[in-house]
Amino acid sequence: MDASVRFKFGDVSLIIQRAMANGLFIQRNDYMMARHVMPAMLQYFHTEACLLAPFYETETNFLVVKNERLMSKAVLDPWLACAFAPRCIYPGHNWRSLVTCPEGKQGYSLCHRFDQAALGVILVTLFDLKLSHLVAPDKNTTYYLAKDDKVDYFPDTV
């Protein structure tokens, strides 16, 4: 869970139930996955952008993973390995130019989503079209994202 996640209320039991039943809880956004994956990452995972085109990008800002061997060995280990591999998550010194996608432009590999792209590629490779059964179908009402939200964690008296 990243710092932008805010819970609307305390009951997260539906999220936990879903993660326990499916192995993970993850949501998708409305972007085509192939748009946000650089060629170096595609090469690392031995795949092509056109194979990712039918899939929506998964969001890594809030992810619940069941502590089981399948998720550990088949999802988390490759994700970690990609993080340490040269040019997988980190596409090179021009990474800043890849953070923002061009507005209205269509195509493959237009920008890069770093760890989010890697997890998406792993999940598609592992589950293929069945991935749609594992991803939460719509925005969850339990939490929301508050990007650029400022929180005063420490009062001025400290």
Side-chain angles (χ1 to χ4, degrees):
M1 176 169 67
D2 75 20
S4 66
V5 173
R6 304 288 187 271
F7 288 99
K8 293 181 181 179
F9 49 88
D11 185 12
V12 294
S13 61
L14 291 176
I15 293 173
I16 301 301
Q17 287 173 5
R18 187 174 184 116
M20 294 305 288
N22 297 333
L24 71 115
F25 173 88
I26 192 167
Q27 289 192 268
R28 69 168 182 87
N29 61 30
D30 295 330
Y31 297 111
M32 178 179 66
M33 187 180 300
R35 185 173 193 243
H36 297 155
V37 182
M38 284 290 104
M41 181 179 282
L42 294 169
Q43 186 176 19
Y44 175 83
F45 285 114
H46 307 287
T47 191
E48 298 177 29
C50 61
L51 297 175
L52 302 176
F55 299 95
Y56 289 103
E57 184 177 68
T58 54
E59 295 182 352
T60 57
N61 47 35
F62 185 72
L63 171 69
V64 179
V65 181
K66 183 178 180 181
N67 185 11
E68 66 181 6
R69 188 167 177 79
L70 172 65
M71 289 297 124
S72 176
K73 296 297 179 190
V75 177
L76 299 180
D77 284 358
W79 197 21
L80 182 63
C82 174
F84 285 103
R87 301 185 56 80
C88 185
I89 284 181
Y90 175 68
H93 296 298
N94 66 338
W95 67 270
R96 282 185 179 86
S97 67
L98 302 174
V99 172
T100 305
C101 270
E103 285 293 322
K105 189 173 180 183
Q106 300 296 318
Y108 299 151
S109 302
L110 298 176
C111 56
H112 194 54
R113 291 294 182 257
F114 306 93
D115 63 315
Q116 184 170 318
L119 183 61
V121 173
I122 291 165
L123 292 174
V124 165
T125 303
L126 188 60
F127 297 110
D128 193 35
L129 293 174
K130 291 183 176 67
L131 177 62
S132 62
H133 299 296
L134 300 175
V135 175
D138 51 18
K139 291 295 176 190
N140 190 294
T141 57
T142 306
Y143 72 93
Y144 63 97
L145 299 179
K147 300 261 184 206
D148 299 321
D149 189 23
K150 306 294 184 229
V151 176
D152 187 15
Y153 289 110
F154 304 103
D156 293 333
T157 59
V158 176

